[in-house]
PDB file of all heavy atoms in Angstrom:
ATOM      1  N   PHE A  78       4.137  -0.648 -15.177  1.00  0.00           N
ATOM      2  CA  PHE A  78       5.344  -0.768 -15.988  1.00  0.00           C
ATOM      3  C   PHE A  78       5.249   0.070 -17.261  1.00  0.00           C
ATOM      4  O   PHE A  78       6.257   0.446 -17.831  1.00  0.00           O
ATOM      5  CB  PHE A  78       5.598  -2.233 -16.351  1.00  0.00           C
ATOM      6  CG  PHE A  78       6.178  -3.032 -15.225  1.00  0.00           C
ATOM      7  CD1 PHE A  78       5.426  -3.332 -14.104  1.00  0.00           C
ATOM      8  CD2 PHE A  78       7.484  -3.473 -15.273  1.00  0.00           C
ATOM      9  CE1 PHE A  78       5.952  -4.054 -13.061  1.00  0.00           C
ATOM     10  CE2 PHE A  78       8.026  -4.198 -14.222  1.00  0.00           C
ATOM     11  CZ  PHE A  78       7.267  -4.490 -13.116  1.00  0.00           C
ATOM     12  N   GLU A  79       4.041   0.370 -17.697  1.00  0.00           N
ATOM     13  CA  GLU A  79       3.870   1.099 -18.949  1.00  0.00           C
ATOM     14  C   GLU A  79       3.270   2.485 -18.752  1.00  0.00           C
ATOM     15  O   GLU A  79       3.068   3.198 -19.715  1.00  0.00           O
ATOM     16  CB  GLU A  79       2.975   0.290 -19.894  1.00  0.00           C
ATOM     17  CG  GLU A  79       3.496  -1.108 -20.180  1.00  0.00           C
ATOM     18  CD  GLU A  79       4.909  -1.129 -20.754  1.00  0.00           C
ATOM     19  OE1 GLU A  79       5.250  -0.225 -21.546  1.00  0.00           O
ATOM     20  OE2 GLU A  79       5.663  -2.040 -20.400  1.00  0.00           O
ATOM     21  N   ASP A  80       2.975   2.863 -17.533  1.00  0.00           N
ATOM     22  CA  ASP A  80       2.279   4.121 -17.264  1.00  0.00           C
ATOM     23  C   ASP A  80       3.146   5.007 -16.382  1.00  0.00           C
ATOM     24  O   ASP A  80       3.992   4.528 -15.637  1.00  0.00           O
ATOM     25  CB  ASP A  80       0.952   3.814 -16.551  1.00  0.00           C
ATOM     26  CG  ASP A  80      -0.072   4.910 -16.714  1.00  0.00           C
ATOM     27  OD1 ASP A  80       0.280   5.995 -17.205  1.00  0.00           O
ATOM     28  OD2 ASP A  80      -1.231   4.678 -16.339  1.00  0.00           O
ATOM     29  N   SER A  81       2.913   6.299 -16.442  1.00  0.00           N
ATOM     30  CA  SER A  81       3.687   7.210 -15.594  1.00  0.00           C
ATOM     31  C   SER A  81       3.035   7.400 -14.224  1.00  0.00           C
ATOM     32  O   SER A  81       3.617   8.005 -13.342  1.00  0.00           O
ATOM     33  CB  SER A  81       3.852   8.578 -16.277  1.00  0.00           C
ATOM     34  OG  SER A  81       2.584   9.156 -16.482  1.00  0.00           O
ATOM     35  N   SER A  82       1.824   6.876 -14.050  1.00  0.00           N
ATOM     36  CA  SER A  82       1.174   6.935 -12.746  1.00  0.00           C
ATOM     37  C   SER A  82       1.330   5.568 -12.068  1.00  0.00           C
ATOM     38  O   SER A  82       1.999   4.685 -12.583  1.00  0.00           O
ATOM     39  CB  SER A  82      -0.308   7.296 -12.905  1.00  0.00           C
ATOM     40  OG  SER A  82      -0.969   6.288 -13.626  1.00  0.00           O
ATOM     41  N   TYR A  83       0.698   5.385 -10.932  1.00  0.00           N
ATOM     42  CA  TYR A  83       0.799   4.115 -10.236  1.00  0.00           C
ATOM     43  C   TYR A  83      -0.515   3.797  -9.543  1.00  0.00           C
ATOM     44  O   TYR A  83      -1.326   4.670  -9.280  1.00  0.00           O
ATOM     45  CB  TYR A  83       1.934   4.130  -9.218  1.00  0.00           C
ATOM     46  CG  TYR A  83       1.699   5.102  -8.076  1.00  0.00           C
ATOM     47  CD1 TYR A  83       1.126   4.681  -6.889  1.00  0.00           C
ATOM     48  CD2 TYR A  83       2.037   6.440  -8.200  1.00  0.00           C
ATOM     49  CE1 TYR A  83       0.895   5.573  -5.854  1.00  0.00           C
ATOM     50  CE2 TYR A  83       1.811   7.336  -7.177  1.00  0.00           C
ATOM     51  CZ  TYR A  83       1.241   6.892  -6.000  1.00  0.00           C
ATOM     52  OH  TYR A  83       1.007   7.780  -4.983  1.00  0.00           O
ATOM     53  N   ILE A  84      -0.695   2.526  -9.275  1.00  0.00           N
ATOM     54  CA  ILE A  84      -1.849   2.056  -8.531  1.00  0.00           C
ATOM     55  C   ILE A  84      -1.393   1.877  -7.092  1.00  0.00           C
ATOM     56  O   ILE A  84      -0.431   1.161  -6.830  1.00  0.00           O
ATOM     57  CB  ILE A  84      -2.332   0.698  -9.078  1.00  0.00           C
ATOM     58  CG1 ILE A  84      -2.726   0.821 -10.541  1.00  0.00           C
ATOM     59  CG2 ILE A  84      -3.484   0.161  -8.246  1.00  0.00           C
ATOM     60  CD1 ILE A  84      -2.962  -0.504 -11.222  1.00  0.00           C
ATOM     61  N   GLY A  85      -2.050   2.536  -6.149  1.00  0.00           N
ATOM     62  CA  GLY A  85      -1.688   2.399  -4.737  1.00  0.00           C
ATOM     63  C   GLY A  85      -2.365   1.190  -4.136  1.00  0.00           C
ATOM     64  O   GLY A  85      -3.578   1.067  -4.183  1.00  0.00           O
ATOM     65  N   GLY A  86      -1.576   0.279  -3.600  1.00  0.00           N
ATOM     66  CA  GLY A  86      -2.130  -0.926  -2.993  1.00  0.00           C
ATOM     67  C   GLY A  86      -1.016  -1.809  -2.480  1.00  0.00           C
ATOM     68  O   GLY A  86       0.073  -1.341  -2.152  1.00  0.00           O
ATOM     69  N   GLU A  87      -1.265  -3.104  -2.455  1.00  0.00           N
ATOM     70  CA  GLU A  87      -0.280  -4.057  -1.957  1.00  0.00           C
ATOM     71  C   GLU A  87       0.924  -4.184  -2.884  1.00  0.00           C
ATOM     72  O   GLU A  87       1.943  -4.742  -2.505  1.00  0.00           O
ATOM     73  CB  GLU A  87      -0.935  -5.417  -1.728  1.00  0.00           C
ATOM     74  CG  GLU A  87      -1.967  -5.374  -0.626  1.00  0.00           C
ATOM     75  CD  GLU A  87      -2.545  -6.731  -0.298  1.00  0.00           C
ATOM     76  OE1 GLU A  87      -1.983  -7.752  -0.761  1.00  0.00           O
ATOM     77  OE2 GLU A  87      -3.551  -6.776   0.420  1.00  0.00           O
ATOM     78  N   ASN A  88       0.816  -3.679  -4.096  1.00  0.00           N
ATOM     79  CA  ASN A  88       1.909  -3.721  -5.063  1.00  0.00           C
ATOM     80  C   ASN A  88       3.013  -2.711  -4.758  1.00  0.00           C
ATOM     81  O   ASN A  88       4.107  -2.802  -5.291  1.00  0.00           O
ATOM     82  CB  ASN A  88       1.378  -3.444  -6.463  1.00  0.00           C
ATOM     83  CG  ASN A  88       0.683  -2.094  -6.537  1.00  0.00           C
ATOM     84  OD1 ASN A  88      -0.312  -1.877  -5.852  1.00  0.00           O
ATOM     85  ND2 ASN A  88       1.193  -1.196  -7.344  1.00  0.00           N
ATOM     86  N   ILE A  89       2.741  -1.751  -3.891  1.00  0.00           N
ATOM     87  CA  ILE A  89       3.710  -0.696  -3.596  1.00  0.00           C
ATOM     88  C   ILE A  89       4.701  -1.174  -2.544  1.00  0.00           C
ATOM     89  O   ILE A  89       4.317  -1.660  -1.482  1.00  0.00           O
ATOM     90  CB  ILE A  89       3.004   0.587  -3.119  1.00  0.00           C
ATOM     91  CG1 ILE A  89       2.122   1.149  -4.237  1.00  0.00           C
ATOM     92  CG2 ILE A  89       4.011   1.624  -2.634  1.00  0.00           C
ATOM     93  CD1 ILE A  89       2.875   1.593  -5.476  1.00  0.00           C
ATOM     94  N   LEU A  90       5.988  -1.025  -2.864  1.00  0.00           N
ATOM     95  CA  LEU A  90       7.073  -1.398  -1.962  1.00  0.00           C
ATOM     96  C   LEU A  90       7.880  -0.142  -1.645  1.00  0.00           C
ATOM     97  O   LEU A  90       8.355   0.534  -2.546  1.00  0.00           O
ATOM     98  CB  LEU A  90       7.983  -2.439  -2.613  1.00  0.00           C
ATOM     99  CG  LEU A  90       7.291  -3.691  -3.171  1.00  0.00           C
ATOM    100  CD1 LEU A  90       8.298  -4.579  -3.882  1.00  0.00           C
ATOM    101  CD2 LEU A  90       6.564  -4.442  -2.081  1.00  0.00           C
ATOM    102  N   VAL A  91       8.008   0.155  -0.363  1.00  0.00           N
ATOM    103  CA  VAL A  91       8.741   1.338   0.079  1.00  0.00           C
ATOM    104  C   VAL A  91      10.032   0.860   0.742  1.00  0.00           C
ATOM    105  O   VAL A  91       9.991   0.299   1.828  1.00  0.00           O
ATOM    106  CB  VAL A  91       7.905   2.184   1.063  1.00  0.00           C
ATOM    107  CG1 VAL A  91       8.685   3.396   1.518  1.00  0.00           C
ATOM    108  CG2 VAL A  91       6.586   2.585   0.426  1.00  0.00           C
ATOM    109  N   PRO A  92      11.174   1.043   0.077  1.00  0.00           N
ATOM    110  CA  PRO A  92      12.437   0.579   0.656  1.00  0.00           C
ATOM    111  C   PRO A  92      12.756   1.299   1.961  1.00  0.00           C
ATOM    112  O   PRO A  92      12.617   2.521   2.055  1.00  0.00           O
ATOM    113  CB  PRO A  92      13.485   0.918  -0.414  1.00  0.00           C
ATOM    114  CG  PRO A  92      12.712   1.105  -1.674  1.00  0.00           C
ATOM    115  CD  PRO A  92      11.363   1.624  -1.263  1.00  0.00           C
ATOM    116  N   CYS A  93      13.163   0.519   2.961  1.00  0.00           N
ATOM    117  CA  CYS A  93      13.633   1.122   4.213  1.00  0.00           C
ATOM    118  C   CYS A  93      14.946   1.833   3.913  1.00  0.00           C
ATOM    119  O   CYS A  93      15.784   1.321   3.183  1.00  0.00           O
ATOM    120  CB  CYS A  93      13.808   0.059   5.289  1.00  0.00           C
ATOM    121  SG  CYS A  93      12.237  -0.558   5.901  1.00  0.00           S
ATOM    122  N   GLY A  94      15.139   2.983   4.483  1.00  0.00           N
ATOM    123  CA  GLY A  94      16.266   3.833   4.097  1.00  0.00           C
ATOM    124  C   GLY A  94      15.818   4.582   2.866  1.00  0.00           C
ATOM    125  O   GLY A  94      14.935   5.410   2.914  1.00  0.00           O
ATOM    126  N   SER A  95      16.370   4.253   1.740  1.00  0.00           N
ATOM    127  CA  SER A  95      15.910   4.815   0.470  1.00  0.00           C
ATOM    128  C   SER A  95      16.409   3.928  -0.657  1.00  0.00           C
ATOM    129  O   SER A  95      17.287   3.092  -0.472  1.00  0.00           O
ATOM    130  CB  SER A  95      16.415   6.254   0.298  1.00  0.00           C
ATOM    131  OG  SER A  95      17.819   6.253   0.171  1.00  0.00           O
ATOM    132  N   LEU A  96      15.851   4.149  -1.809  1.00  0.00           N
ATOM    133  CA  LEU A  96      16.297   3.435  -2.992  1.00  0.00           C
ATOM    134  C   LEU A  96      17.687   3.963  -3.364  1.00  0.00           C
ATOM    135  O   LEU A  96      17.896   5.177  -3.360  1.00  0.00           O
ATOM    136  CB  LEU A  96      15.306   3.686  -4.129  1.00  0.00           C
ATOM    137  CG  LEU A  96      15.389   2.796  -5.354  1.00  0.00           C
ATOM    138  CD1 LEU A  96      15.121   1.341  -4.988  1.00  0.00           C
ATOM    139  CD2 LEU A  96      14.382   3.251  -6.394  1.00  0.00           C
ATOM    140  N   PRO A  97      18.652   3.084  -3.656  1.00  0.00           N
ATOM    141  CA  PRO A  97      19.993   3.560  -4.025  1.00  0.00           C
ATOM    142  C   PRO A  97      19.931   4.583  -5.169  1.00  0.00           C
ATOM    143  O   PRO A  97      19.112   4.471  -6.080  1.00  0.00           O
ATOM    144  CB  PRO A  97      20.719   2.286  -4.456  1.00  0.00           C
ATOM    145  CG  PRO A  97      20.036   1.188  -3.687  1.00  0.00           C
ATOM    146  CD  PRO A  97      18.592   1.612  -3.619  1.00  0.00           C
ATOM    147  N   ALA A  98      20.781   5.587  -5.087  1.00  0.00           N
ATOM    148  CA  ALA A  98      20.759   6.734  -6.005  1.00  0.00           C
ATOM    149  C   ALA A  98      20.803   6.330  -7.479  1.00  0.00           C
ATOM    150  O   ALA A  98      20.137   6.950  -8.308  1.00  0.00           O
ATOM    151  CB  ALA A  98      21.906   7.678  -5.682  1.00  0.00           C
ATOM    152  N   GLN A  99      21.554   5.303  -7.826  1.00  0.00           N
ATOM    153  CA  GLN A  99      21.675   4.932  -9.239  1.00  0.00           C
ATOM    154  C   GLN A  99      20.373   4.382  -9.829  1.00  0.00           C
ATOM    155  O   GLN A  99      20.236   4.265 -11.033  1.00  0.00           O
ATOM    156  CB  GLN A  99      22.822   3.933  -9.459  1.00  0.00           C
ATOM    157  CG  GLN A  99      22.620   2.574  -8.823  1.00  0.00           C
ATOM    158  CD  GLN A  99      23.256   2.460  -7.453  1.00  0.00           C
ATOM    159  OE1 GLN A  99      23.328   3.426  -6.711  1.00  0.00           O
ATOM    160  NE2 GLN A  99      23.725   1.267  -7.124  1.00  0.00           N
TER     161      GLN A  99
END
Side-chain angles (χ1 to χ4, degrees):
F78 283 69
E79 303 304 324
D80 203 350
S81 61
S82 63
Y83 66 94
I84 300 169
E87 295 185 12
N88 58 298
I89 296 296
L90 307 176
V91 179
C93 288
S95 66
L96 194 62
Q99 66 265 33

